[in-house]
Amino acid sequence: KTLYVSDKTAGCVTSLDAATGDKLGETPIAGEPNGLALSADGKILYVTQRKINSIALLDTKQGIRVGRISVGAWPVGLALAKKAQRLYCCNQGNHSVSVIDLTTGQQIDEIAVVRSPAFAVISADESRVVVANSLPSGAGTDPDLAAEVSILDTGAMRQVARVKLPPGTTMAGGVRISPNGKWANVVDVLGRFDLQVTQLEEGWVHTS
């Protein structure tokens, strides 16, 4: 088995032997590589290119780029629906999720979400996409301000629910769905906004 790692600092995708950890190769990727998704047959690796608003297609056997798909602004996280042959891309710059038909290699829709989507995961039946919005939407003076999770209906291709996280939540950047499909676990940062500002002279505003 092979592991693929996106390295935005070095501007490449590195492949590693999963058993030994040995480096197998590197593929240069322009525009700050970020999110990754592997095709169902393992032949193509999809890589978001945040600074050039596109997804690169890498041939995993040859280790070269073989295609490119244009998406929204600042693409980061990817989620692949293997049965439906669709790819969902989180666009942080315009607060949307692109829907790509992999049979044609074209974006077929762009779904508006809350703010700065960072990560997405697809339910086992591929009927829902759960999206972690990295940043809260609203006034900073709101004591209940928090990041939210968007639930997308893949058939209707629209947002059907918004789940607000606990007050002070921000930087929601990871989601996993439970095996029974009933729960989504979200990784985030919880800021304690009810505390007084501390260490102001050192640039601190709130304590997390």
Side-chain angles (χ1 to χ4, degrees), residues 5-14 23 25-30 33 47:
V5 181
S6 63
D7 188 336
K8 64 182 180 182
T9 303
C12 68
V13 169
T14 300
K23 182 177 176 179
E26 280 185 4
T27 303
I29 299 292
V47 187

Side-chain angles (χ1 to χ4, degrees), residues 103-119:
T103 63
T104 63
Q106 299 292 321
Q107 176 176 294
I108 57 173
D109 208 341
E110 194 168 346
I111 306 169
V113 289
V114 181
R115 185 186 178 195
S116 195
F119 198 92

Side-chain angles (χ1 to χ4, degrees), residues 69-173:
I69 301 170
S70 296
V71 288
W74 298 1
V76 285
L78 290 173
L80 177 66
K82 295 180 180 181
K83 298 173 188 174
Q85 281 292 289
R86 287 184 177 176
L87 187 64
Y88 296 84
C89 176
C90 297
N91 305 313
Q92 285 194 322
N94 55 352
H95 319 301
S96 68
V97 173
S98 290
V99 184
I100 298 115
D101 183 342
L102 294 177
T103 63
T104 63
Q106 299 292 321
Q107 176 176 294
I108 57 173
D109 208 341
E110 194 168 346
I111 306 169
V113 289
V114 181
R115 185 186 178 195
S116 195
F119 198 92
V121 67
I122 298 174
S123 61
D125 63 1
E126 298 187 356
S127 67
R128 295 288 186 268
V129 182
V130 181
V131 181
N133 293 281
S134 179
L135 299 176
S137 178
T141 54
D142 181 0
D144 294 323
L145 186 67
E148 298 181 50
V149 173
S150 296
I151 310 296
L152 311 184
D153 183 314
T154 59
M157 288 195 283
R158 64 184 180 89
Q159 178 178 259
V160 292
R162 292 168 56 171
V163 181
K164 196 168 186 177
L165 298 172
T169 300
T170 186
M171 301 299 290

Side-chain angles (χ1 to χ4, degrees), residues 26-71:
E26 280 185 4
T27 303
I29 299 292
E32 192 177 290
N34 207 294
L36 305 174
L38 189 64
S39 64
D41 60 10
K43 294 180 179 180
I44 297 293
L45 182 69
Y46 301 97
V47 187
T48 56
Q49 299 170 282
R50 194 181 74 89
K51 290 186 177 180
I52 56 176
N53 306 335
S54 64
I55 299 170
L57 281 64
L58 303 188
D59 183 310
T60 56
K61 186 175 181 179
Q62 301 182 68
I64 60 173
R65 187 171 68 86
V66 294
R68 180 172 172 268
I69 301 170
S70 296
V71 288

